[in-house]
Amino acid sequence: MPSGFIIIRDSTPLAAIPRGAVVAMGNFDGVHLGHRAVIAAALQMARIQGRPALAVTFEPHPRRFFSPNTPQFRLTDETAKLRLLAGTGLEGAVVMTFDKHRAETTAKDFIHHDLIDRLGVSGIAVGYDFHFGKGRVGSPSLLANEAPRLGIEVDVQPHVDIDERPVSSSAIRMALAEGQIKDASAMLGGPWFVTGEVIHGEKRGRDLGYPTANIRLDNNCGLKHGIYAVRVEREQGKNQGKHQLRFDGVASFGRRPTFDNGAPLLEIFMFDFEGDLYGATLDVAFISFIRDELKFDSVEALVARMDEDSARARAVLAADPEAFPKLGVINSA
């Protein structure tokens, strides 16, 4: 198998697909602790069998296909999901296009054609609630029943609980919508993060003594508007000389009610940083919620509160200096 975390797509030639892999199968939005239990089961099975371990996932998310007009707050877009999967110890991911053809494929055809004939899997790990195939007829029990005849091993992982509450992507979305960053981080197994390109803003922060790097998040982002302690990484260098520069900071996500009450924008003030970031791509990890977004009666009152916010963010980040999602590097097949 090629070195690095490879991505296998529907267009990947059969000769480039490693045969006999063990796969962890799921949508993996967020790659949370429940997903990681499935991945850990696949890794263990692969070690015992002496096989490679891959993820099998679907893009776009099936919800997007079945409800195209319903806003979907994804915890991770495709790239973020693959980077998280690459940080788990898996050797690659099979990204299956979820379209009309796949939606109409029966569960048994999916098992035989996609998993056995095309991938040649030797084992499958899934979560207890994973369903697949036309009408969502495919289930962990169907996989387990088919396994002996197909000569493969199937591992079904139970739900993962924190404080007697099941971990799920929906629960994490709700936590982020309520500003419960610590709860979201606990369920994810690390901080939630976004990636975006720095764009030009109104440059008000520069005049206030708080120059910010501004990023426009997805329109469907359901993160609570407010002030956050954040940790930021920027890739520096090219090819083999690449390395990550990391900075602590404080960020505002919202509509800026003191000024224009405009479209939601993520504005990041990075501590101890000087330089031009326009056009740069940043990874921004949310470490703690500081306060709600507020409207101030004067610029002076706003700046005084920003001073307090920065001090609180510095203290929070100093107490957790290593908090950042574990991200891997993805290659194409």
Side-chain angles (χ1 to χ4, degrees), residues 2-9 82 86 91-93 328-333:
S3 61
F5 187 87
I6 67 164
I7 309 300
I8 297 164
R9 300 189 183 275
L82 291 174
E91 296 178 53
V329 178
I330 56 177
N331 304 320
S332 59

Side-chain angles (χ1 to χ4, degrees), residues 103-127:
E104 293 181 349
T105 300
T106 67
K108 288 194 174 182
D109 281 348
F110 175 79
I111 294 170
H112 288 268
H113 178 266
D114 292 289
L115 298 181
I116 302 299
D117 293 345
R118 179 163 170 75
L119 298 180
V121 301
S122 61
I124 303 170
V126 292

Side-chain angles (χ1 to χ4, degrees), residues 253-308:
F253 178 60
R255 297 181 178 277
R256 305 160 304 285
T258 303
F259 296 106
D260 59 3
N261 208 36
L265 186 68
L266 178 64
E267 300 172 283
I268 310 144
F269 173 64
M270 295 161 58
F271 304 142
D272 310 314
F273 173 82
E274 293 182 5
D276 183 355
L277 287 170
Y278 295 122
T281 298
L282 304 179
D283 294 325
V284 184
F286 292 79
I287 310 302
S288 183
F289 181 77
I290 302 294
R291 63 168 173 85
D292 291 339
E293 184 176 44
L294 301 172
K295 182 176 182 178
F296 293 88
D297 294 331
S298 68
V299 170
E300 291 76 16
L302 170 61
V303 171
R305 192 58 183 267
M306 290 168 70
D307 291 341
E308 294 178 21

Side-chain angles (χ1 to χ4, degrees), residues 199-274:
I199 62 173
H200 287 273
E202 298 297 327
K203 299 179 175 60
R204 295 192 191 96
R206 183 182 303 172
D207 296 334
L208 300 176
Y210 282 92
T212 59
N214 303 321
I215 295 175
R216 191 81 66 189
L217 302 187
D218 186 274
N219 290 337
N220 296 323
C221 177
L223 178 68
K224 181 184 175 85
H225 289 183
I227 310 302
Y228 295 86
V230 298
R231 187 158 282 136
V232 182
E233 277 198 354
R234 177 195 182 188
E235 189 174 87
Q236 184 83 352
K238 294 182 179 181
N239 302 325
Q240 297 302 317
K242 285 183 179 180
H243 62 282
Q244 304 298 330
L245 297 178
R246 182 177 290 185
F247 298 91
D248 287 352
V250 62
S252 168
F253 178 60
R255 297 181 178 277
R256 305 160 304 285
T258 303
F259 296 106
D260 59 3
N261 208 36
L265 186 68
L266 178 64
E267 300 172 283
I268 310 144
F269 173 64
M270 295 161 58
F271 304 142
D272 310 314
F273 173 82
E274 293 182 5

